[in-house]
Amino acid sequence: MLVLALDTATARITAGVVELGADGPPVVLAGRDAVGARAHAELLAPAVAEALAEAGRTRRDLDAVVVGLGPGPFTGLRVGLVTAAAMGDGLGLPVHGVPTHDAVAAGSAGRVLVVTDARRREVYWSLVVDGVRTHGPEVTAPAELAARLGPDGDIGPVDTVVGDAAHQVCGGDGTPGPTPAGLVAVAAPALRAGTAPGPLVPLYLRRPDAVPPGAPKTVTRA
């Protein structure tokens, strides 16, 4: 099965062509990463085209699309979701959404804290224990999250801290974002079973900055 994996939930724009067999881990045939916190729309399409070209495949060769659902900032996240939905509709492909934090933690054992940048001096976070998310995703201030860790906190101790905002909480390796293999690994059970995908529901976790304009104000003469 040939799968296109996309994610735009972080500043890292991810696109990859992945082969998924009947068993075993996903195999990445080609991948592209671009960094641009506010350039997702400009960078994603070229990344997809380059990954397909490197893999020697075309869009018509694809069997499915997997896309990260976030959490992530509104504008960047919706670029990936709209692109995935449009490709699925145009090519007649199933489109499976997976939580981005699950994909970041894919393949890691133990108690893994995933922390990504939410801007506004906040972070998105999830706790994944041996591949199963037990807390989150939530959005909070880094100091508040740090206070909840350790033996006295409600989250408890963690073995690893990953994600592009790990350093804001308690160090960590600064993993920039999900890999194509991680995205497909999370969706693998559904892909292999032929399960029909559910709706793509983005994990914004908070309202967008833009709001509808209010009613025009009445102007009176003095």
Side-chain angles (χ1 to χ4, degrees), residues 119-136:
R119 304 177 189 167
R120 306 184 195 171
R121 300 180 181 179
E122 292 182 322
V123 295
Y124 300 115
W125 71 272
S126 297
L127 180 66
V128 180
V129 181
D130 293 329
V132 178
R133 180 161 34 88
T134 60
H135 295 69

Side-chain angles (χ1 to χ4, degrees), residues 3 7 33 83 92 99 104 120 125 129 139 141 168 185 199:
V3 184
D7 189 272
D33 292 319
T83 299
V104 173
R120 306 184 195 171
W125 71 272
V129 181
V139 60
Q168 296 187 40

